[in-house]
Amino acid sequence: MRLQVRKTYKLFIGGQFPRTESARHYAIRSPKGDKLLANACKGSRKDIRNAVVAARKAFADWSSRTTLNRGQILYRLAEGLESRSAELAEELMAMGLTDKQARAEVEACVDTCVYYAGWADKVHMVLGTVNPVAGPFFNFSFPEATGVVGVVAPETPALQGLLARVLPAIVCGNTVVVIPSETRPLAAITLGEILATSDVPAGVVNIISGIKSEITPGLAAHMDVNAIDITGVDDEARVALAQAASQNVKRVIIKDEAAALELSLWSIADFLETKTVWHPMGV
């Protein structure tokens, strides 16, 4: 007989796994509430600030990577998800899914990674253009990354919903601070371990678990966050978060339940800005 080494679910900030600076945690229980599954860190505003600092630090390197390299890294992430699919499925089943549902969700996550990895070197060709102008000039419009993006992931599906919102942001060069499902965060926190070994540079994705009503206002109001996806909060909270985001004119993205999981080029476009450049002919 031996004591089992129980897993400690931590935050994921800047490629590391710190405990929350608040030293608080909350219980994650089975859907019926009769079984304690684990304790997750109850993130704080300070954790959000630390994550934004890490994301900003990583932005210059990540956004300057070649599109081919970003695609390769996301494909490597798909490989990591595939190799740990059994563990992820077990965590999803612990949160109430059947074996079939859990495996289907993990497979959808892998497919989502492959889908967006394929778009990495095609986005600029599809969304960029040469504009006709009246004069001896070339006029080009092309997309570029917005910057640091905050993401509040949907409650369900816990893992697929998170990846479906995070991957469109990072494929085009943004860095992300994401708040996973409040009631079902285990698989999303394990995702941090996969990210840490998948060649995704430290700070590109930062995961802060906790009570959404406590930490989303700090993320929305942070002046160094350039856009925020508040798909994972209820309608009442969205109004207050949008108002907080307006302080530095953040882009606010809101998707309904179906659109949140849709694999689409336009999901990537939500996290892009368009830059237009004029250049004289013959120079």
Side-chain angles (χ1 to χ4, degrees):
M1 297 293 292
R2 59 181 294 275
L3 292 176
Q4 182 181 7
V5 179
R6 299 189 64 183
K7 182 173 180 177
T8 302
Y9 289 86
K10 302 179 184 178
L11 308 179
F12 182 57
I13 302 175
Q16 300 181 349
F17 298 91
R19 291 178 172 84
T20 172
E21 64 83 31
S22 69
R24 301 180 303 161
H25 67 271
Y26 69 108
I28 306 299
R29 296 186 175 275
S30 60
K32 295 182 179 179
D34 57 344
K35 183 179 180 181
L36 176 64
L37 301 175
N39 289 315
C41 287
K42 188 184 286 187
S44 67
R45 284 177 174 262
K46 179 66 184 304
D47 295 317
I48 291 291
R49 291 197 294 271
N50 291 341
V52 173
V53 169
R56 178 58 66 188
K57 184 178 179 180
F59 175 70
D61 172 61
W62 181 241
S63 61
S64 65
R65 298 282 182 110
T66 65
T67 54
L68 173 62
N69 183 236
R70 287 202 297 267
Q72 290 172 325
I73 289 172
L74 292 189
Y75 191 84
R76 169 64 177 158
L77 176 59
E79 293 175 354
L81 287 167
E82 190 84 71
S83 66
R84 295 184 65 170
S85 58
E87 177 185 0
L88 293 170
E90 286 180 5
E91 289 175 325
L92 292 173
M93 284 188 286
M95 300 308 304
L97 272 63
T98 65
D99 178 74
K100 183 177 180 179
Q101 290 172 331
R103 293 186 182 279
E105 182 170 338
V106 175
E107 289 172 1
C109 291
V110 175
D111 294 345
T112 300
C113 279
V114 174
Y115 177 86
Y116 285 113
W119 268 114
D121 59 354
K122 303 174 183 66
V123 170
H124 292 79
M125 291 183 287
V126 177
L127 296 182
T129 186
V130 178
N131 304 307
V133 294
F137 301 97
F138 293 113
N139 184 269
F140 305 96
S141 292
F142 56 92
E144 64 177 16
T146 297
V148 176
V149 176
V151 174
V152 186
E155 283 298 297
T156 57
L159 184 60
Q160 183 185 359
L162 183 146
L163 281 169
R165 305 312 307 149
V166 167
L167 289 171
I170 67 173
V171 68
C172 51
N174 296 298
T175 55
V176 169
V177 177
V178 58
I179 301 172
S181 170
E182 180 180 322
T183 56
R184 304 182 178 188
L186 303 187
I189 298 172
T190 297
L191 174 65
E193 300 172 10
I194 301 172
L195 287 164
T197 56
S198 65
D199 297 332
V200 176
V204 172
V205 179
N206 305 273
I207 303 173
I208 309 295
S209 61
I211 308 303
K212 288 182 177 179
S213 61
E214 291 185 6
I215 54 180
T216 52
L219 182 61
H222 199 294
M223 299 300 284
D224 201 27
V225 174
N226 304 108
I228 185 167
D229 183 332
I230 55 176
T231 298
V233 299
D234 57 42
D235 292 340
E236 183 178 351
R238 287 175 178 175
V239 175
L241 293 178
Q243 290 174 342
S246 68
Q247 295 178 39
N248 70 332
V249 201
K250 290 182 184 66
R251 175 178 292 192
V252 177
I253 299 101
I254 303 173
K255 298 288 187 180
D256 60 30
E257 185 175 350
L261 303 180
E262 182 181 5
L263 304 184
S264 169
L265 168 65
W266 305 115
S267 293
I268 302 175
D270 286 336
F271 302 101
L272 292 172
E273 303 292 343
T274 300
K275 176 181 283 186
T276 300
V277 176
W278 293 73
H279 192 283
M281 292 182 180
V283 176

